[in-house]
Amino acid sequence: MIRTENLTKVFRTDEVETTALNEVSFEIKQGEFVAVMGPSGCGKSTLLNILGLLDNPTGGGYFFLDQDVAGHSERQRAKLRKENIGFVFQNFNLIDELNVFENVELPLIYLGMKSSERKQRVEEVLEYMKISHRKKHFPLQLSGGQQQRVAVARAVVAKPKLILADEPTGNLDSAHGEEVMNMLEELNQNGTTLIIVTHSQRDAEYAQRVVRLFDGQIINENIKGKVSSVKI
């Protein structure tokens, strides 16, 4: 599903040049659950933004669904993104002026889905996420755990092939964090490819594979107990 070849991202200002990703190469297959870990500033979020087609790399190749998308325009990236990728953010990123139903419905509106089909799809996913009893509430009327349930529902309502989650339990207590990780694990078991960026070793243990970044490079990968070091 995903393959990168010597992926590089450099941020430049008039006086400073910062290499966020330095020739990162790896693959993620359909149906995998991968956690990306590393200290703050190591390139995790930059990598997630590129994988999610929110940004282009400075150099190297990025192949998504067998397409070389490294040089795609914003319009091309947006089309692929809305048809194939769901996002879950640490800060939920719900729209305060929309109620739960409307927040979850939004990706389907962007896809041009008919109203009747949208209603059925949203009702189904809210029931699946056990949040349907709150569908007329607004985000500020919900607990942190409930808001993240809504965020996950919004991410999966369009049935994306890939879900990207950036610190999905970072603003939750341990009990609500465990609920969210169990939901993500269940989605993966039902066939959705899942990539999470996390500082939490507990969250990373849900993944089948852990990729560790340091200074913009992959330093090792852990596949359910098997660690392989990467020469840098």
Side-chain angles (χ1 to χ4, degrees):
M1 170 177 268
I2 284 173
R3 176 166 55 91
T4 70
E5 296 179 350
N6 300 320
L7 199 68
T8 300
K9 183 65 178 182
V10 179
F11 294 100
R12 295 183 176 92
T13 64
D14 291 340
E15 299 179 354
V16 179
E17 181 176 289
T18 303
T19 300
L21 295 175
N22 188 5
E23 297 189 350
V24 172
S25 299
F26 70 108
E27 288 189 45
I28 296 176
K29 296 178 180 178
Q30 173 69 40
E32 275 198 282
F33 185 168
V34 177
V36 179
M37 299 191 74
S40 296
C42 72
K44 301 187 305 296
S45 292
T46 299
L47 178 62
L48 203 70
N49 284 341
I50 292 174
L51 297 182
L53 303 172
L54 295 170
D55 198 2
N56 268 337
T58 306
Y62 173 30
F63 297 84
F64 179 65
L65 299 177
D66 295 324
Q67 295 185 52
D68 186 355
V69 298
H72 270 24
S73 67
E74 170 54 29
R75 177 174 292 184
Q76 290 171 310
R77 294 202 310 270
K79 184 175 187 298
L80 270 175
R81 190 167 60 235
K82 71 182 182 181
E83 292 175 352
N84 296 287
I85 303 174
F87 295 89
V88 179
F89 301 97
Q90 177 178 353
N91 294 320
F92 317 134
N93 283 16
L94 301 176
I95 298 174
D96 291 339
E97 294 77 18
L98 301 181
N99 63 30
V100 166
F101 185 99
E102 292 164 338
N103 265 283
V104 176
E105 182 186 32
L106 205 55
L108 304 181
I109 294 175
Y110 292 150
L111 286 173
M113 187 177 290
K114 293 180 180 179
S115 177
S116 59
E117 189 176 352
R118 291 201 309 267
K119 183 177 186 301
Q120 180 179 348
R121 184 78 66 84
V122 174
E123 295 282 4
E124 287 173 354
V125 76
L126 290 178
E127 186 68 28
Y128 178 77
M129 292 294 167
K130 298 179 175 61
I131 197 71
S132 59
H133 61 295
R134 295 285 193 175
K135 67 182 179 182
K136 294 185 179 180
H137 288 69
F138 291 86
L140 295 178
Q141 298 174 300
L142 306 177
S143 69
Q146 289 171 333
Q147 288 188 60
Q148 194 62 299
R149 281 180 177 272
V150 177
V152 174
R154 182 185 57 190
V156 304
V157 70
K159 299 183 179 179
K161 297 179 176 68
L162 172 67
I163 292 178
L164 302 176
D166 192 357
E167 300 285 358
T169 68
N171 283 336
L172 303 177
D173 59 35
S174 59
H176 286 122
E178 186 175 353
E179 284 183 11
V180 168
M181 290 309 301
N182 285 334
M183 284 191 294
L184 293 175
E185 183 179 44
E186 184 175 346
L187 289 168
N188 173 251
Q189 290 171 349
N190 288 332
T192 304
T193 306
L194 187 62
I195 303 173
I196 67 167
V197 160
T198 183
H199 282 97
S200 169
Q201 184 61 46
R202 183 193 63 188
D203 290 356
E205 288 174 358
Y206 285 83
Q208 300 154 2
R209 177 158 59 112
V210 178
V211 175
R212 295 185 183 274
L213 288 181
F214 186 77
D215 285 348
Q217 296 178 297
I218 295 176
I219 56 172
N220 66 50
E221 295 187 37
N222 185 318
I223 305 173
K224 285 297 182 182
K226 298 180 180 179
V227 178
S228 62
S229 297
V230 179
K231 187 176 180 180
I232 60 174

